[in-house]
Amino acid sequence: GPDVDGTTTFFTPYQISVTEESASGCNSVTPDTHDIDVHDKPSITPPGTLTICNGTAPNENIVMSVPGSTFTWEVLSIQSSLSGVNQGDIGNGDITHVLTNNSNTDGTVLYRITAFGPDVDLVTPGIQSCQGQVTQTLTVKVEPTPQADVTNNALRICNGSAPDISVVSPTVPTV
C-alpha cells in the first residue's frame, strides 16, 4: 500500500470502512465508510554548516520535503563575539537577521529548525498542521572581515631581485 510514514510527496487518500460487531458476533449490514487524507510530515534539508561573511544574513537555503511547508527556528547557542542575534531568539520562516562578527576569529550560531506541513484543515485553518518528525540543527559560521597589514621592507630593489614584503593578519587563515 501507500507509504504513510512521512516519505511520500504530499498526501494519500484512504477510505476507511467500519463494521460494527456485537458481543455475540452479529455484524452490521452496511459498513460505515469515511474518507481520510493522510498527510506527510515534512522533513528538512539544511546544510550541516553554512558559512557566511560578516555583516550578512544566513540565507539558509532550507529545503522542505512537502510543498507548502513552513518552519520555525530557535537560536540554541552563540560562540564568539557576534551581534545581531541573541540566544533564545525565535522566528518563523527565513532567518533574516544580519550577523556581525566583532572579533578576529570565526563565530558560530546554532539554530534548531522544526518543520510544519501545510495547513491541512480547510474548515478550521491553522490547527492541524503536521509537524516534522525530527528537528534539525543548522550551524551558521560567520567569518570575520578579512584584515591584512602589508609592509614593504625594501623600498628599492634591483631588477631581478625579490621584493621583501611581509603580511600580518589577525584574521588568519581568512586572508
Side-chain angles (χ1 to χ4, degrees):
D3 185 0
V4 294
D5 69 355
T7 60
T8 56
T9 56
F10 187 56
F11 73 92
T12 305
Y14 287 90
Q15 188 172 66
I16 298 174
S17 295
V18 179
T19 304
E20 294 83 11
E21 184 176 321
S22 69
S24 60
C26 298
N27 291 332
S28 59
V29 178
T30 308
D32 290 330
T33 59
H34 302 276
D35 293 330
I36 186 170
D37 292 333
V38 177
H39 290 257
D40 290 341
K41 291 182 177 181
S43 60
I44 312 161
T45 309
T49 299
L50 176 67
T51 301
I52 64 172
C53 295
N54 188 20
T56 62
N59 297 323
E60 68 288 328
N61 195 26
I62 291 175
V63 177
M64 308 299 282
S65 65
V66 176
S69 296
T70 59
F71 63 92
T72 61
W73 52 266
E74 176 184 5
V75 176
L76 298 178
S77 65
I78 302 167
Q79 294 180 349
S80 192
S81 180
L82 295 176
S83 59
V85 65
N86 295 300
Q87 187 169 338
D89 283 354
I90 57 173
N92 297 309
D94 291 341
I95 303 171
T96 59
H97 46 256
V98 173
L99 301 175
T100 303
N101 187 337
N102 300 305
S103 73
N104 292 327
T105 60
D106 292 342
T108 59
V109 180
L110 180 64
Y111 295 89
R112 176 179 28 232
I113 310 290
T114 304
F116 291 90
D119 193 359
V120 296
D121 186 344
L122 300 178
V123 177
T124 312
I127 67 163
Q128 291 188 344
S129 184
C130 298
Q131 182 174 344
Q133 294 175 317
V134 217
T135 57
Q136 299 280 335
T137 56
L138 169 66
T139 301
V140 175
K141 181 171 84 169
V142 184
E143 292 185 338
T145 301
Q147 300 173 22
D149 293 322
V150 180
T151 305
N152 182 357
N153 296 317
L155 298 178
R156 294 181 208 178
I157 59 172
C158 295
N159 188 10
S161 300
D164 183 9
I165 297 175
S166 60
V167 178
V168 177
S169 173
T171 57
V172 170
T174 303
V175 172

